[in-house]
Amino acid sequence: MTVRAPALQIEGLRYEIGDRVLLDDLDLQVSAGHSLAVTGPSGSGKSTLLMCALGLVKPDSGTVSVAGKDMTRLSARALASHRRRHLGVVFQFGELLPELSPSENVAIAALLAGVDRRKAYADARDLLRWLGVPEQGTTGLLSGGERQRTAVARALVMEPTLVLADEPTGALDQRTRETVADLLFDIPARRGCALVVVTHDPAVAGRADAQVSLDSGRLVERS
Ligand SMILES: Nc1ncnc2c1ncn2[C@@H]1O[C@H](COP(=O)(O)OP(=O)(O)OP(=O)(O)O)[C@@H](O)[C@H]1O
Ligand SMILES: [Mg+2]
């Protein structure tokens, strides 16, 4: 029997900024096929927690394992390759290049990871079709919701083990927010990955399999 490591396993994570303990001995686990919502006051360290999962912020102590590898111990090169292979990220404003087409914006993530051109574009187009994003024109001409779905497609193109989303619905109107949230929380079941969503919106958080709140450096489970 093979035992698969959790998609994300954080143990004893501690991170200080100046004399403030931003993340204080945190433990967290998310398995494949499951979603977790992280809420908490502005400035409480939610984005920093995601940065630790990406290996972009080195904690003072603790381990942050993604797909069984501790991101805090990898060399820069191994970290970049592990990140490309196992992590997909969606930010609030999508971080897309407006002058490219949606399929170029999605394919670029695969091309940078060394996937051949034909496969990168075929995968990009399949995902955009699945997510209902129109293919003609440049990304700058899309609506907010369509752009956000393009960002989701880009996060998924490498079939990541773990998808991290930081305020993915923050810039959207209520109806679009619901469409994007429906689609996000459908992802773990449909694609077998784990999903962590940082959000200020209780309606979005309520759709996750589990909810935690970050406050004064500690994680509190919510139901
Ligand atoms: N590199 C840094 N240097 C100094 N302070 C930082 C740095 N990165 C983050 N901080 C501080 O750490 C705190 C947590 O920031 P973080 O962005 O993680 O909060 P957040 O919970 O995501 O907030 P929001 O909900 O507003 O996005 C903030 O007070 C921020 O100013
Ligand atoms: Mg933040």
Side-chain angles (χ1 to χ4, degrees):
M1 194 178 88
T2 52
V3 180
R4 239 201 322 168
L8 174 65
Q9 181 151 34
I10 291 178
E11 286 177 324
L13 177 65
R14 184 180 171 88
Y15 183 63
E16 295 175 26
I17 288 179
D19 56 4
R20 176 173 172 210
V21 182
L22 192 60
L23 306 173
D24 187 5
D25 197 23
L26 300 191
D27 298 319
L28 188 64
Q29 185 173 318
V30 192
S31 304
H34 287 82
S35 56
L36 173 80
V38 182
T39 55
S42 182
S44 59
K46 304 179 298 295
S47 295
T48 307
L49 180 64
L50 295 190
M51 291 299 176
C52 289
L54 281 165
L56 294 172
V57 163
K58 292 270 181 234
D60 296 303
S61 55
T63 59
V64 180
S65 298
V66 172
K69 275 202 183 151
D70 184 359
M71 306 293 278
T72 67
R73 286 170 172 272
L74 295 177
S75 66
R77 196 191 175 102
L79 183 61
S81 131
H82 196 64
R83 197 186 291 135
R84 276 198 298 268
R85 174 69 200 84
H86 290 285
L87 281 148
V89 192
V90 187
F91 293 107
Q92 176 171 358
F93 298 109
E95 317 264 323
L96 302 167
L97 298 167
E99 64 277 17
L100 300 186
S101 71
S103 47
E104 286 167 332
N105 263 305
V106 175
I108 210 167
L111 293 170
L112 288 172
V115 172
D116 82 63
R117 204 173 165 77
R118 193 179 306 181
K119 178 168 166 41
Y121 276 93
D123 289 352
R125 277 191 288 266
D126 283 351
L127 275 167
L128 290 167
R129 208 168 300 131
W130 177 52
L131 297 171
V133 179
E135 292 195 43
Q136 56 281 62
T138 63
T139 305
L141 298 173
L142 298 176
S143 74
E146 289 164 348
R147 252 188 311 223
Q148 201 54 305
R149 281 179 273 153
T150 306
V152 171
R154 191 176 56 179
L156 294 177
V157 73
M158 289 300 290
E159 300 188 5
T161 308
L162 174 64
V163 176
L164 304 173
D166 199 348
E167 305 272 2
T169 59
L172 306 174
D173 64 67
Q174 167 136 18
R175 226 182 90 216
T176 316
R177 202 179 322 166
E178 276 170 27
T179 319
V180 171
D182 282 345
L183 192 143
L184 265 179
F185 287 107
D186 208 21
I187 287 170
R190 299 277 293 256
R191 308 189 73 91
C193 56
L195 171 69
V196 175
V197 179
V198 165
T199 181
H200 282 287
D201 185 336
V204 172
R207 298 182 188 216
D209 297 322
Q211 285 187 61
V212 290
S213 161
L214 181 58
D215 205 346
S216 307
R218 312 299 299 242
L219 283 176
V220 184
E221 274 182 56
R222 298 160 57 104
S223 48

